[in-house]
């Protein structure tokens, strides 16, 4: 499973392959106004084989948008404070694994 927060440095042409939803466009403008050394990670490229994924977790950033380039992705959304939907699911407040 690849989790890369620096893909845009090594492969900037990937940024031309998608566009941000209008609701998030101001966030990127804000981050681009910061000096690179002060800018927090705010874009990630995640690649994994079929059936891969992460444990039930709270997004460490708080809000984000996801784009699927190939295949499908399932999300489980619950009300704040509810337990994970499956007894075997673990709640994590860290980055997905």
């Amino acid at each position: 499973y690849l989790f890369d927060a620096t893909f845009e440095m090594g492969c900037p042409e990937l940024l031309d392959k998608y566009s941000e939803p209008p609701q998030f466009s101001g966030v990127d403008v804000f981050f681009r106004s910061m000096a690179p050394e002060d800018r927090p990670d705010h874009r990630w490229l995640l690649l994994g084989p079929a059936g891969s994924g992460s444990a039930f977790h709270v997004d460490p950033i708080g809000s984000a948008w996801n784009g699927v380039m190939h295949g499908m992705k399932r999300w489980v959304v619950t009300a704040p404070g509810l337990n994970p939907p499956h007894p075997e699911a673990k709640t994590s407040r860290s980055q997905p694994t």
Side-chain angles (χ1 to χ4, degrees):
Y1 199 82
L2 171 71
F3 192 92
D4 185 359
T6 61
F7 75 93
E8 64 188 80
M9 287 188 254
C11 196
E13 60 273 14
L14 280 178
L15 296 176
D16 296 331
K17 303 293 182 188
Y18 72 90
S19 60
E20 298 163 338
Q23 300 86 340
F24 290 92
S25 63
V27 174
D28 196 51
V29 170
F30 171 71
F31 284 130
R32 281 184 287 164
S33 70
M34 300 172 76
E37 63 273 8
D38 296 331
R39 190 178 307 149
D41 292 339
H42 65 288
R43 289 189 183 127
W44 297 271
L45 175 66
L46 286 80
L47 299 171
S52 62
S54 63
F56 189 84
H57 65 278
V58 175
D59 192 316
I61 300 296
S63 62
W65 67 274
N66 288 248
V68 177
M69 298 174 137
H70 181 77
M72 67 178 210
K73 173 149 176 78
R74 292 183 194 166
W75 285 268
V76 175
V77 180
T78 65
L82 289 182
N83 289 327
H86 302 290
E88 68 275 9
K90 295 178 182 173
T91 301
S92 168
R93 290 192 174 266
S94 63
Q95 292 184 349
T97 56

